[in-house]
Amino acid sequence: MLCLDPLSTEWDCPLGSKDLDGKEGPWKGGAALPPTGCFPGPWYQDVSLDCKGSPEEAEARAWTVYYYGLLQSCLQQAGLPETQDRSQAPRTGCPGAEVTLCILGSPSTFLSLLLEGGVQSPGNMLLCLSPAWLMKVAASGQEGEASLLVSKAVSFYPGGLTFLDDFVPPRHATYFLAGLGPESGHGREAAELARNLTCPTGASAELARLLEDRLLMRWWLSQQSGVAVPATLAFTHRPPGLLRGGHASPELRLVELSGKEGQETLVKEEVEAFVHSEALGDASQVAVRLSGWRWRGQQALCLHLRVEPSAVVNTVLTLLEKLEEEESVLVEAVCPPARLPLPGSPAPGPELAMRICAVVCRIQGDRPLLSKVVCGVGRGDRLLRHHNTLPRTLGVALAQCGLEEAAQVALLGQHIKEAAEAALAAVLALEAGLSVEQRGGRQVHIDFLGVDFVLTVAGRTLIPVVLKLNSGLCLEACGALEGMWAAPRLGRSVEEAAAAPLVETMLRRSGRHLMDGKQLLVIGAGGVSKKFVWEAARDYGLKLHLVESDPKHFASQLVQTFIHFDVTEHRRDEENAQLLAELVRTRNLKLDGCFSFWDDCLVLTSLLCRELGLPCSPPAAMCLAKQKSHTQRHLLRCQGPPWPATSLHAVPCCPLESEADVERAIYQVPLPGVMKLEFGSGAVGVQLVKDGPQCHEHFSRILHDLQGEADHPGIGLGWGNAMLLMEFVEGTEHDVDLVVFGGRLLAAFVSDNGPTRLPGFTETAACMPTGLAPEQEAQMVQAAFRCCLGCGLLDGVFNVELKMTGAGPKLIEINPRMGGFYLRDWILELYGVDLLLASTMVACGLQPALPAHPRARGYLVGIMCLVSQHIELLSSPGSRETLQALHDKGLLRLNLLEEALIPGQYEEPYCNVACAGPSPAEARLRLLGICQGLGIDRPNYPVVHFLSHFK
């Protein structure tokens, strides 16, 4: 027999006992004293668990000691070292300017999250074992809200290392998550600490009351498609407020009673109708249980045969006397267990019960993502709970119950994924409709959910049925499973931790919190491809001030301050930086940072930051990276040590300012070569040249056609039209987007480019993540990072273009700003990392809140559309509406890169069309189908060829 949470024929908490007579559980009254004699070692005797200035009473102190011992026991069982006490040397840090992820709760519940946080953000994941280690301080300018300060905590680091630390001054929490379960010894204090904080908060007592109310959650889930719940009959004197006036569903009927007396007839009629209804399907039993906040954690239930409604009625009437407002008595169908045959045997398999629990997390874009599924298996005649079964994977559990066919296991796994993600989506929809007071604070949002399932059969299909939702038990079960592989996993990750997406969300929300209200000066507004900057700034709460040459630029209406200033004459950047600094002082702008995402303005931005004393890479480094021949020739001189030398990645080249330079370069640079603008961007004017005559011809054409900014705005002609000739290297082309802070590499994202339309080099296609082998990917990242360091680029978000050749990575050029085109959008979609937010944080001198090892959630493959090749498609209102509609439905990703449909010899891509998939091959096939259907694929623009690298 295969079932979850089988129900015994006797009460777990017998009727008439003090529990069912209404004794308050651990939540409302606070657990008295923790268990004793649980751990093998008196670890607490050698450490300082007291927090200066916040003495604890004996009961609270007992819980702190208990939790410290529990933490040591968890670490010991996972093969990890004991916590080291370094509280005698308080940590100083940068309060208010650093990520601080704070957990208050049971170490066993949150161990998976704590260890993963130590890996992804070393030293910033803090476990507080007592509310006395925390303090709320009223926030200035935000009435009714408070900041949360951490004075003492256990800090987590990679390798499972932990340290007991004091913080002087206290650290400011940027994310707070409190354990509010019935096992908590600090329930009341935790609830108060979590209420109305200025920092992002992942749980509150208000939301926990809603989340773990079986009646409310079943009613809400039953309204959603794709989520099955047990057929339920609910009796209540006064239903929860969110249920009043709600629509009934076939799976759930709510009966509101007028009083506690004289309800026997109504209860009898409703029970008899329920047990005879088709909603129960093949169920032969019903369970009766109490539902409500007081009863959480108390597994009080009773089984009755469906054919004995009188016994059900008697139980319901007994329990109705114990109800208070917004509590209920539930009569629910016991889902018929799925009987799975053993392989090769006609007889049913052994009667086994299986608990299935799933952890699902909120990720970028408020989307749900299943993180992990864990199961427990036990005898079918025994009650199975989270804490009395060994965790195992879904495949292993099903095999023990007789189901080993891979296709069926995969199909069931997909059904569980869809149901769990639909459950969180439903909860997020419910949360979105709640007021600040109902959520427990402006910053309170549910970021993860545990979903408990039972399996039943409909026809010949296994159906996962949601029994209940929880906030910590499923996470704890996943942590227990991961604990069995903790030591190997810390050496080399076997699979992603259940808490990994949650840690990423905690970091993302922390970054937003740190940047909320920051004042930044932006130099250069860019074009339509940078429209996302202004939308994101509003979403992040950034206060932007803009310096721009075009007085009518659309962004002038979207910023706090607009300064009209000609920034196109870059030969005067030093003088202009001084003038702009004076304008900033005159206007009394209180800036936290200054940055630019526009190629032409990067050197000016660096010079201005120097004038204003704001963080930025040095002007000399920006100048070196901006002038392509200087970049390569400088790196060629970086012979090391250390080895491998950066010079290995540089490519021979010669600057060209005259015909004489061209003639000289022909004999210095091996041909074929590549000619390009010294300060150009967007591959405009870049061409393959095979011999001397082609070099002279292309040089003359560029000097004639592209003389100044007016000839082709936005590609760097304000710096002049000097050119260079560099060696053409064979290989695949790649982009590496880096986040560097204080000379340290924080994150790197590698993408692949398709073959270009030679002799031009305008980008055609791309794929992310890279299809390179892991060793080659690591080489590519290190090459990009070393090239940036070699140029002196120590702080910022940089885009580095390279080729992977037979001799390793070779540098094409460094763009000392955030990657252009579609790159920011793709990285945000796949990894949940926003390069724009990272850029603004670096500009303010703050270390970006990024996971140390971001993982992609799928693949994207995209194709560029050109005006010269797709004018009919792009100029047709119907075709453009079709593209937008497909984007809105999530069938493709559309990134507009230009605004005007102007064909020309020196064109840039107009837009990028991309498709997602679980593999590059699947994403490629989807994109190819769309391109063929819309007419993007054509004889002169062979999409199949451009996508050939991504098979």
Side-chain angles (χ1 to χ4, degrees), residues 525-527 534 546-559 562-566 899:
W534 320 107
L546 174 62
V547 176
E548 166 58 34
S549 305
D550 180 6
K552 298 181 180 179
H553 196 287
F554 70 87
S556 65
Q557 305 300 312
L558 305 175
V559 293
F562 179 71
I563 300 176
H564 176 223
F565 190 95
D566 184 7
E899 197 164 21

Side-chain angles (χ1 to χ4, degrees), residues 5 7-13 15 20 214 218 230-235 267 271 274-275 280 285-291 295 298-306 308-320 322-323 328-334 385:
D5 204 8
L7 306 175
S8 66
T9 55
E10 298 180 357
W11 290 97
D12 280 359
C13 302
L15 290 174
L20 285 178
R214 285 179 186 255
R218 285 187 185 175
T232 303
L233 172 65
F235 295 96
V267 169
V271 168
F274 178 71
V275 299
L280 272 68
Q285 293 179 305
V286 294
V288 185
R289 70 167 76 242
L290 288 158
S291 175
W295 308 108
Q298 300 185 21
Q299 307 294 336
L301 51 87
C302 186
L303 274 184
H304 295 285
L305 293 175
R306 181 178 175 181
E308 297 177 352
S310 58
V312 179
V313 171
N314 291 336
T315 304
V316 170
L317 291 173
T318 301
L319 294 179
L320 282 175
K322 306 177 184 303
L323 292 190
S328 57
V329 176
L330 305 183
V331 183
E332 62 188 51
V334 177
R385 303 294 183 195

